[in-house]
Each structure stands twice: as C-alpha cells, then as structure tokens.
Amino acid sequence: MKKVIVITGASSGFGALTARALAKAGHIVYASMRETKGRNAPQVKEIERYATEHSVDLRPIELDVSSQESCNEAIQEIIEKTGHLDVVIHNAGHMVFGPAEAFTPEQLAELYDVNVLSTQRVNRAALPQLRKQKRGLVVWVSSSSCAGGTPPYLAPYFAAKAGMDALAVVYARELTRWGIETSIIVPGAFTGGTNHFAHAGSPADKARVGEYEAGPIKVSRTMYSKVSPQSCLLMQMSRALRTPSSR
C-alpha cells in the first residue's frame, strides 16, 4: 500500500538514499532539508531530476529541524497536499570529532539540539496527525555507538545519539496505545557515501586538543593524532577482526 513518508536530513547520505529507495518502492516521499533555495538548491534539482527520470513520487520540501515553525509548516503542507501522513523518519543529525574535554558545554548543547531536540520538534508537528489517524510509523536512525561501538574522539556525538535512543524508547511505549509503531534503525559504521564525516564539527578549545595530541604516551598520538573519523572507525574494526573471539 502506498504510504506518505517524510524524511529529515534528506539532502545527502542515508537520507537521500532512503528517500530514493522508498520512492522507487512506490511511496510518496518528501525529502526534507533546510535552505532549499540556498545551499541545498542543487540537491533540490537533483531530487526533481531523479523523480522525473525514474517516474517516482519524490518531492523536496523545506524543513529546518532546528525551527519549530519550519517543522510545523512543512508537516502542514504535506497533510494539506496528501490528506494524511504515514511515516516519519528521523534521519537529520550532526557529528563532531575530537577529544571530549576540548568541546565547550555550548557545543555539546548545540549537538544535543541537532540530534535530539530536532526529533521533538518534528514529533510535535507530526504526531497529532498520526494520533488522529490512529496509525503510523516513527523511525529513528540511531548509531552503532548505542549498540556498544565506541571508538575515541566521538563521545559528544555518541552521547547525543544515546539521548535520542532513550527518547525513542519511551515514545514507543507512549505511542503504541494510538496504534503508532516505532522502529530504531542502527546503520553501523559507514565511512563512505555520506557527508556525515566530511561535515563533522571540531572542538572549540584548540589548546586542549593540542594537549591530547602531544601525549602523555607517544603511541596514543600515533594512533589518534590528526586522524579522521573514518580512519578511527576503520582502525577499531581492524583490531576487532584481528582479535580472536572468546568462547
């Protein structure tokens, strides 16, 4: 059955790939993103090109997860045009890379806003419609960190994703009485095909970053100094593959 689906953060990466896959499966998919008339204008054109070329119902829509007003307007537009909303996919997020101590509290608060509070804004806009229908699905795109994978220098991001997971679990219990289902998706450590790493933030306290890079043990600097998030994850996976499993 054809569903009406909205995906946050669908300008690239998992969001864009998911939007295309669901549209090809025959659903009406709203690929949401901010600045559709600004820096994401090329992505909007690409979505429209893809929809025409593949004869699918894939629609770009302006939705800034950091703004409740923007979330409200986008969801209202979807409902007005389609008459209902079936699936909400929380995909928008932002990651940072660096020693946890070197991030300011303000940076952590901003990261929490993007990865956790954004889902609350979208839910407050969309859930009244899903509850009215007494059906729907809310999908939360989580992180492998919440399943135990925790390489260094990603602590603030992991903490934010853990907060999102906790919120998702409680929402699942509260929404089930309305006939609304919940799924948490853990994609795993993808180091390509996404801008997640390329756009990662960095600590504001550069002096403390320098202290971590300098020591106290040289091997630490060899392993983790000036490495990218991609290589950090790859090193962790490589070590795991070399370690015999315990029985």
Side-chain angles (χ1 to χ4, degrees):
M1 182 181 295
K2 180 180 291 189
K3 303 292 184 182
V4 176
I5 303 168
V6 60
I7 305 175
T8 65
S11 63
S12 63
F14 290 154
L17 293 172
T18 303
R20 292 179 180 184
L22 291 172
K24 288 186 74 173
H27 301 293
I28 300 172
V29 182
Y30 282 87
S32 78
M33 65 196 75
R34 60 181 177 176
E35 298 184 42
T36 53
K37 296 181 180 179
R39 67 182 179 88
N40 280 325
Q43 282 71 22
V44 169
K45 290 183 179 180
E46 177 59 23
I47 288 172
E48 294 171 342
R49 183 202 64 77
Y50 185 91
T52 300
E53 183 177 308
H54 294 271
S55 299
V56 297
D57 202 340
L58 178 58
R59 313 176 185 182
I61 189 169
E62 173 76 27
L63 192 160
D64 183 352
V65 296
S66 67
S67 164
Q68 187 66 63
E69 181 180 2
S70 177
C71 293
N72 293 345
E73 290 177 354
I75 296 301
Q76 186 60 37
E77 179 181 339
I78 292 171
I79 294 169
E80 288 177 353
K81 288 184 176 179
T82 65
H84 62 107
L85 175 61
D86 301 296
V87 183
V88 176
I89 301 179
H90 293 302
N91 171 75
H94 180 60
M95 76 174 294
V96 295
F97 182 70
E101 184 186 341
F103 288 93
T104 65
E106 291 76 16
Q107 283 186 294
L108 265 64
E110 182 179 356
L111 195 66
Y112 188 87
D113 186 279
V114 174
N115 289 284
V116 185
L117 300 188
S118 65
T119 65
Q120 180 69 355
R121 295 186 186 102
V122 175
N123 278 351
R124 283 181 55 80
L127 290 181
Q129 178 65 28
L130 270 62
R131 289 191 291 104
K132 178 181 177 181
Q133 298 167 174
K134 291 186 171 57
R135 60 178 172 80
L137 171 65
V138 181
V139 178
W140 308 68
V141 180
S142 182
S143 164
S144 57
S145 62
C146 297
T150 52
Y153 286 15
L154 290 166
Y157 172 68
F158 288 166
K161 297 303 285 189
M164 190 203 77
D165 261 31
L167 188 63
V169 169
V170 178
Y171 254 118
R173 295 170 180 168
E174 295 179 354
L175 294 177
T176 185
R177 61 193 290 245
W178 300 94
I180 301 170
E181 298 182 49
T182 298
S183 290
I184 299 176
I185 306 298
V186 182
F190 279 72
T191 58
T194 172
N195 290 326
H196 210 38
F197 295 105
H199 294 166
S202 59
D205 191 337
K206 303 304 181 185
R208 297 204 190 193
V209 172
E211 291 173 7
Y212 272 81
E213 289 182 347
I217 301 172
K218 289 185 177 180
V219 68
S220 296
R221 180 169 186 173
T222 301
M223 290 180 65
Y224 299 116
S225 174
K226 299 179 182 178
V227 298
S228 66
Q230 297 100 310
S231 58
C232 187
L233 287 169
L234 289 172
M235 283 190 290
Q236 184 201 37
M237 290 186 285
S238 176
R239 288 196 300 275
L241 289 172
R242 293 198 302 267
T243 303
S245 60
S246 56
R247 296 182 183 275

